[in-house]
Amino acid sequence: LEKMADVRPPPLRSLDDFLLCSARFAVPDVHNLDRWNNRIINNLLYYQSNYFLCALGFLLIVGYFQPFQLFTGMTVVTLLFIGFVWAAENQAPIRRFRRNHPSVSILAILVASYLFISVLGGVAVFLFGIAFPIFMVLVHASVRLRSLKNKLENKLESIGLKRTPMGLLLEALGQEQEAGS
């Protein structure tokens, strides 16, 4: 709760910076996983308000057409995520796995959510309402090159001068040591 008191949402980045003219994109170097992971984490921190608005817009559209299934899907994913974070904080082997394999950890949460929801129904709503926005955010964070302003903001986040919601989420996923590098 003490961490939450200092949390400040970052500013919304301009559309020009996020997607249009000044935005620079490049395919990540798949042979250097550390560098790719660093790019994703730092873009998640820098563009988190933009990502949140995009995901929220998509969820509102899906929720308009399938409100019960979307609510069920969000509840299942949230409970599984909270359970995973709790287990990782209380079980050393899970904590090591989370830190060493963050992508596999997120995938495991999504697959477990999918399997649970498929028993309850609402698979399509889960795939399009929850997993698709996450996929789009990760694609953008993977291919968006970082600017000097992006690097400076991430440095402030990593040394604790600024606390943001994405910073707390990455910390819960065991990625706090990567941010800002």
Side-chain angles (χ1 to χ4, degrees):
L1 198 59
E2 178 182 312
K3 290 180 184 181
M4 295 301 289
D6 298 332
V7 174
R8 302 280 181 260
L12 191 62
R13 308 301 173 186
S14 71
L15 190 58
D16 185 56
D17 181 27
F18 186 59
L19 284 176
L20 302 176
C21 298
S22 72
R24 298 176 328 161
F25 297 93
V27 176
D29 180 8
V30 295
H31 300 294
N32 188 343
L33 295 179
D34 288 337
R35 187 173 175 155
W36 187 10
N37 188 44
N38 183 42
R39 182 193 290 186
I40 290 172
I41 288 173
N42 285 292
N43 280 331
L44 287 174
L45 288 167
Y46 187 71
Y47 294 110
Q48 63 188 284
S49 293
N50 297 68
Y51 293 146
F52 176 76
L53 278 180
C54 291
L56 181 64
F58 198 80
L59 286 172
L60 288 173
I61 291 169
V62 172
Y64 177 77
F65 293 106
Q66 299 287 330
F68 178 73
Q69 289 87 347
L70 182 66
F71 177 75
T72 302
M74 287 190 334
T75 302
V76 168
V77 172
T78 301
L79 291 175
L80 286 170
F81 180 76
I82 290 170
F84 177 76
V85 170
W86 178 84
E89 294 300 319
N90 293 302
Q91 302 291 325
I94 296 173
R95 183 173 36 255
R96 279 191 302 277
F97 181 83
R98 174 188 72 179
R99 188 169 304 255
N100 295 333
H101 307 289
S103 300
V104 176
S105 298
I106 291 172
L107 186 64
I109 292 169
L110 292 175
V111 168
S113 300
Y114 172 81
L115 293 174
F116 188 74
I117 290 172
S118 67
V119 171
L120 299 175
V123 174
V125 174
F126 169 74
L127 287 175
F128 292 109
I130 297 170
F132 186 72
I134 291 172
F135 173 73
M136 293 309 297
V137 164
L138 291 176
V139 166
H140 183 275
S142 290
V143 299
R144 177 65 170 93
L145 296 175
R146 296 170 59 206
S147 65
L148 185 59
K149 186 176 179 184
N150 179 321
K151 292 176 182 178
L152 179 63
E153 288 285 326
N154 291 144
K155 225 18 126 177
L156 291 173
E157 170 79 16
S158 70
I159 59 175
L161 296 177
K162 291 178 74 177
R163 301 285 297 166
T164 62
M166 184 64 73
L168 293 177
L169 177 63
L170 290 171
E171 188 176 308
L173 289 170
Q175 295 302 298
E176 68 278 359
Q177 79 282 359
E178 301 289 338
S181 3

